[in-house]
Amino acid sequence: MVCMYCMIFTPFTGKDNYGSPVTFAAGLVCNEKTWAFAWLFRHFVDCMGVTPRMIVTDQDLGMRSAIEEVLVGTRHRWCMWHIMHKLAVKVPNRLLRDDEFKKEFNGCVWSDLVEPDEFEEEWNRLVEHHQLEDIDRFNTLYAYRQYWIPAYFRDFPMGSMIRTTSISESENSFYKNFLKPRANIAEFYLNFNHAIEFQRNSRTALDYHDATAIPILATTLPFEKHASTLYTDSMFKKIQEEIVEGNDRCRVLGFMSGETVDTYKLGDSKRNAYVVRHEKTDDTYSCECKLFGQHDSLSLGCIWGVSGSLLTHSSVDDRQIVSKQMFYGFLRRFETDIEVLRAFVGGVEELGNSLQTGTPSTSATKKRRMVDEFYGMVRPESVEVHPPDVVKTKRKQLCEPSDFKERKGYKGCDKAS
């Protein structure tokens, strides 16, 4: 908050493909009413050019109304942490002391593996079993279940990656290190830019580490090796855990082949069974647990410009790897000399700008023609250089004249040097 003007600082925070907080934009509003949030969202869309696919907030009604008014088509999700925290305050004490109820309730509302109808069936069973029909808080939460229950986000990419505002709370703590509570607008603007620059530098360091780090594979599966080339290093470690878990504890229980679809039935160590479908027409796989579809699109490597679905392996991957290693190889070579590093980065930036605008840098041929025009002559294709003629000199020519020797007190030279 900028206290000098009593304005509220509102950053738009998300996750990058390292799982780290990133600020997309920020604004200042004078209050937390619907019209103020609507104004903020309109300007956010104008700046970004598109509406966000999903937004996570607390249960603020003014913000909910503004989202419905401006961010049409954006999935709105409530922070589950806030809901569970408030629930612990408002539920009867008998339930807080009931470990069985807490275990059943958490299993019902936090699960990513149940469909909406399964959730509703389990919720109704809990309400009836623990006599919660007359508790308004539970009835209200159920009425707005589509805003916070993971079961209603199973078909949405990244739905399970961001389901609390904890990442926003983390960013608020981050900004407290840069923003002063009584700063004026000019000071606030400078401090905010400093915070953003710090965030970008941290991201650059992660990019550099990701480009130079060589992931250690835990299995011999081609799938793991391919994943190591697609995901960032920090995200690959999480994916790798899933790969190892699946390789060690999952097994094929059944298989059925059709004309266009192959169907696999897989079982895990907890006796759970899932169906995986292989669509032969487009060579894609899907599992009824839907976890991979929720997680995969966020953590792909940003250096290669990957945005969206998983890429299939091709020679393009190899070219990208080679070019990436070449670029960061130069960075490693010059990192000890800051002036050389600046010159390298400046040269790359200049070349990139010229290529982007369609005016590439002056070629060697053009430069040669400019030199010829300057000197008024054409440089020959080949230049023959002859050794100079040898000049024979007499001995006395190596000594100074006699009158000069007398003035300087020179004794003469006995030998030619």
Side-chain angles (χ1 to χ4, degrees):
M1 176 181 293
V2 184
C3 292
M4 181 176 292
Y5 307 97
C6 295
M7 301 181 73
I8 303 167
F9 175 56
T10 56
F12 289 81
T13 304
K15 279 186 179 181
D16 62 15
N17 49 0
Y18 298 98
S20 302
V22 58
T23 299
F24 297 129
L28 297 172
V29 295
C30 58
N31 58 52
E32 298 181 75
K33 296 182 179 180
T34 298
W35 68 265
F37 286 126
W39 172 88
L40 179 69
F41 292 148
R42 285 194 203 92
H43 282 280
F44 175 75
V45 174
D46 290 340
C47 292
M48 300 298 291
V50 295
T51 57
R53 299 184 65 185
M54 182 179 69
I55 185 170
V56 182
T57 71
D58 56 19
Q59 295 167 266
D60 186 276
L61 295 180
M63 191 177 298
R64 179 168 68 95
S65 299
I67 292 173
E68 294 175 353
E69 176 185 342
V70 180
L71 303 181
V72 180
T74 298
R75 290 289 297 274
H76 184 195
R77 188 168 186 172
W78 283 348
C79 171
M80 291 194 66
W81 182 87
H82 281 90
I83 292 175
M84 301 300 285
H85 179 72
K86 292 179 181 179
L87 191 63
V89 177
K90 297 185 178 182
V91 299
N93 291 331
R94 63 178 178 84
L95 295 178
L96 295 178
R97 295 189 297 268
D98 191 338
D99 293 334
E100 180 185 356
F101 165 76
K102 289 188 290 186
K103 182 178 179 180
E104 293 179 355
F105 184 79
N106 286 329
C108 175
V109 302
W110 284 98
S111 178
D112 289 319
L113 301 176
V114 298
E115 294 290 344
D117 55 346
E118 295 176 289
F119 158 76
E120 293 171 7
E121 181 180 349
E122 180 63 18
W123 178 279
N124 291 329
R125 188 195 65 81
L126 278 172
V127 169
E128 182 179 354
H129 181 261
H130 295 279
Q131 301 177 357
L132 306 175
E133 296 89 347
D134 297 331
I135 300 180
D136 293 338
R137 183 62 180 173
F138 279 93
N139 295 331
T140 301
L141 288 178
Y142 183 75
Y144 291 104
R145 58 192 179 278
Q146 71 274 13
Y147 285 101
W148 63 286
I149 294 297
Y152 295 90
F153 295 88
R154 278 173 53 78
D155 296 323
F156 190 80
M158 300 188 299
S160 62
M161 294 292 286
I162 305 177
R163 55 188 177 187
T164 71
T165 57
S166 59
I167 188 172
S168 180
E169 303 296 338
S170 174
E171 279 295 86
N172 291 340
S173 177
F174 164 76
Y175 279 116
K176 288 180 181 178
N177 297 324
F178 295 90
L179 305 181
K180 299 177 181 179
R182 296 190 178 277
N184 57 37
I185 291 295
E187 292 173 328
F188 171 82
Y189 180 77
L190 293 175
N191 292 336
F192 174 74
N193 282 342
H194 182 50
I196 293 299
E197 188 64 26
F198 182 88
Q199 191 177 83
R200 289 171 179 167
N201 290 337
S202 301
R203 172 66 176 269
T204 301
L206 289 173
D207 287 345
Y208 177 78
H209 173 75
D210 184 62
T212 56
I214 300 177
I216 300 176
L217 304 182
T219 70
T220 59
L221 297 174
F223 176 76
E224 182 192 10
K225 183 177 180 180
H226 179 48
S228 69
T229 65
L230 288 178
Y231 290 87
T232 59
D233 184 63
S234 56
M235 282 298 178
F236 171 69
K237 292 177 181 178
K238 297 181 180 180
I239 297 295
Q240 188 178 49
E241 294 178 1
E242 298 291 336
I243 293 174
V244 172
E245 182 79 7
N247 186 52
D248 293 343
R249 301 193 178 187
C250 291
R251 60 194 183 279
V252 178
L253 302 178
F255 171 74
M256 184 173 61
S257 180
E259 183 177 350
T260 59
V261 178
D262 286 341
T263 304
Y264 300 82
K265 185 177 181 181
L266 304 180
D268 60 16
S269 59
K270 298 179 181 179
R271 298 183 181 275
N272 296 319
Y274 304 97
V275 175
V276 177
R277 292 168 53 88
H278 174 211
E279 299 287 345
K280 298 180 181 179
T281 54
D282 54 2
D283 197 27
T284 58
Y285 291 83
S286 62
C287 179
E288 64 178 355
C289 75
K290 299 182 181 179
L291 290 181
F292 187 77
Q294 293 177 338
H295 288 254
D296 75 321
S297 58
L298 180 66
S299 50
L300 292 173
C302 67
I303 299 174
W304 303 339
V306 179
S307 59
S309 59
L310 197 65
L311 297 179
T312 56
H313 185 66
S314 65
S315 59
V316 176
D317 296 333
D318 297 330
R319 290 198 299 270
Q320 290 169 338
I321 293 173
V322 172
S323 60
K324 181 179 69 171
Q325 291 175 344
M326 179 180 296
F327 176 78
Y328 284 97
F330 279 113
L331 286 183
R332 288 196 304 270
R333 187 184 306 175
F334 302 144
E335 64 184 356
T336 57
D337 192 327
I338 186 62
E339 295 301 328
V340 176
L341 183 60
R342 286 173 178 170
F344 170 73
V345 174
V348 172
E349 184 177 8
E350 181 181 356
L351 177 60
N353 292 335
S354 64
L355 293 175
Q356 187 176 10
T357 57
T359 56
S361 301
T362 305
S363 64
T365 303
K366 188 174 181 180
K367 287 182 178 179
R368 180 176 174 178
R369 186 167 56 251
M370 293 170 60
V371 173
D372 293 342
E373 293 175 356
F374 177 80
Y375 285 103
M377 60 178 295
V378 178
R379 189 179 67 175
E381 293 296 330
S382 61
V383 179
E384 295 183 1
V385 179
H386 301 281
D389 295 333
V390 178
V391 179
K392 296 182 180 181
T393 60
K394 295 182 180 181
R395 175 178 175 179
K396 65 179 181 180
Q397 292 177 314
L398 300 179
C399 301
E400 294 180 345
S402 58
D403 56 345
F404 184 78
K405 289 187 286 185
E406 292 175 355
R407 289 195 301 270
K408 296 292 185 179
Y410 188 72
K411 301 300 183 181
C413 53
D414 297 330
K415 297 181 180 180
S417 56

